[in-house]
Amino acid sequence: LPYQVKQEQVVQAKREELLVAPQGQILNIPNAIPAEKLAKQRRDGILASRPAFSDEELENAVRECLGVAKDITIPGYRSLRNEFIDETNTLVSRFLVENDKMVLGELRRFTPLPEAHFRLTPAKSAFLYIPHWNSLTEFPRLLSEMEKQFEAYYSFDPFGVGSLTPSSCNHFGFEYGDSYGFDYHFAALGVMLGESYLGRRVEAILNAISLLRASGVEEITLCGAGRSTVAAAFAAFLAG
């Protein structure tokens, strides 16, 4: 349809006329409360009204929130081809941890040459590392800085980490500012399906702990790096 655009003369407002707060700062308004102070007040109020949990009640609440089963069955595993790290002269024995539903993660044991393991063996103490991105690039450097205080050194990549990083979605950018990555994607799917993505990762770590205990490891020291610290902390709490 034919139409005409009528251009009217617009008078640009001065900056002072656009300000709705003194000097353009909301906190200059009388009785204004900063957002962080308001959040702290709400947090303190919630904590004051929250009932105290016993250890058992707290554990049950965490399990219910994350959807983690109380009884963790011992998963199966199979031995994969060994890897060698030139820089540290280290041999890496690899074990794929899985149950009847899915692959849970990849367990690696780091040993000096020529020590090789094709099955999980007993140990009085073990160090279990959950990487930030990839245990192959992170753990050898950590090992070089640690004294020989554990009998066995393991890393575990639960799904979404390290060797189990999915190739779907946008996996080219691993920055926190990345607008859409696989972690976001699978977390969103979990929300729609009523499951916790974090809970599944915690449960995978618990399965690895259960497998090591069943293999004769008496004491396990768990270490989570970077983005894996939250999952490792929950796993440590639930594993006792």
Side-chain angles (χ1 to χ4, degrees), residues 15 41 53 73 75 77 100 121 125 141 152 179 185 191 200 214-215 219 224:
R15 181 178 182 276
Q41 290 174 351
F53 281 132
T73 57
Y77 74 93
D100 56 348
T121 56
S125 63
R141 291 199 301 270
S179 58
H185 175 72
V191 170
R200 298 286 70 75
S215 302
E219 184 178 294

Side-chain angles (χ1 to χ4, degrees), residues 8-236:
E8 295 184 359
Q9 187 66 29
V10 177
V11 179
Q12 183 67 43
K14 297 179 181 179
R15 181 178 182 276
E16 292 75 17
E17 296 174 332
L18 297 175
L19 299 181
V20 295
Q23 292 82 48
Q25 297 295 326
I26 294 177
L27 290 181
N28 291 336
I29 298 176
N31 301 319
I33 302 175
E36 59 269 22
K37 184 177 180 180
L38 186 64
K40 183 178 184 301
Q41 290 174 351
R42 293 190 61 184
R43 181 203 66 184
D44 293 344
I46 291 172
L47 291 178
S49 61
R50 178 179 292 169
F53 281 132
S54 66
D55 292 345
E56 184 179 358
E57 288 172 335
L58 181 59
E59 180 180 336
N60 290 337
V62 171
R63 288 188 184 278
E64 182 179 354
C65 182
L66 295 175
V68 174
K70 188 172 182 62
D71 298 320
I72 300 295
T73 57
I74 302 171
Y77 74 93
R78 44 188 162 136
S79 181
L80 304 177
R81 186 185 298 273
N82 290 341
E83 295 172 323
F84 177 67
I85 303 175
D86 288 313
E87 307 87 79
T88 55
N89 205 36
T90 304
L91 191 67
V92 183
S93 303
R94 303 167 58 210
F95 308 97
L96 196 67
V97 182
E98 56 190 349
N99 57 22
D100 56 348
K101 296 180 181 178
M102 61 184 292
V103 172
L104 300 166
E106 183 175 334
L107 191 65
R108 291 184 173 98
R109 182 169 182 178
F110 295 76
T111 55
L113 280 176
E115 187 180 348
H117 296 268
F118 298 96
R119 62 183 180 88
L120 297 175
T121 56
K124 288 187 176 180
S125 63
F127 185 83
L128 180 59
Y129 177 77
I130 316 298
H132 173 56
W133 288 121
N134 193 321
S135 57
L136 273 183
T137 57
E138 299 170 27
F139 200 30
R141 291 199 301 270
L142 184 64
L143 273 176
S144 64
E145 300 171 359
M146 296 175 65
E147 298 179 1
K148 187 68 176 176
Q149 51 185 308
F150 299 95
E151 189 175 333
Y153 292 87
Y154 288 95
S155 73
F156 181 67
D157 292 1
F159 54 85
V161 179
S163 59
L164 270 78
T165 300
S167 58
S168 55
C169 307
N170 173 21
H171 60 286
F172 300 104
F174 289 127
E175 297 297 328
Y176 283 111
D178 198 25
S179 58
Y180 189 88
F182 60 85
D183 267 345
Y184 176 91
H185 175 72
F186 289 114
L189 292 180
V191 170
M192 289 189 286
L193 295 173
E195 291 197 15
S196 167
Y197 180 53
L198 172 63
R200 298 286 70 75
R201 195 170 283 175
V202 170
E203 201 165 68
I205 298 173
L206 290 173
N207 273 270
I209 293 173
S210 175
L211 180 59
L212 288 177
R213 284 174 171 168
S215 302
V217 177
E218 297 177 14
E219 184 178 294
I220 299 171
T221 298
L222 185 64
C223 172
R227 67 193 183 110
S228 293
T229 54
V230 175
F234 278 123

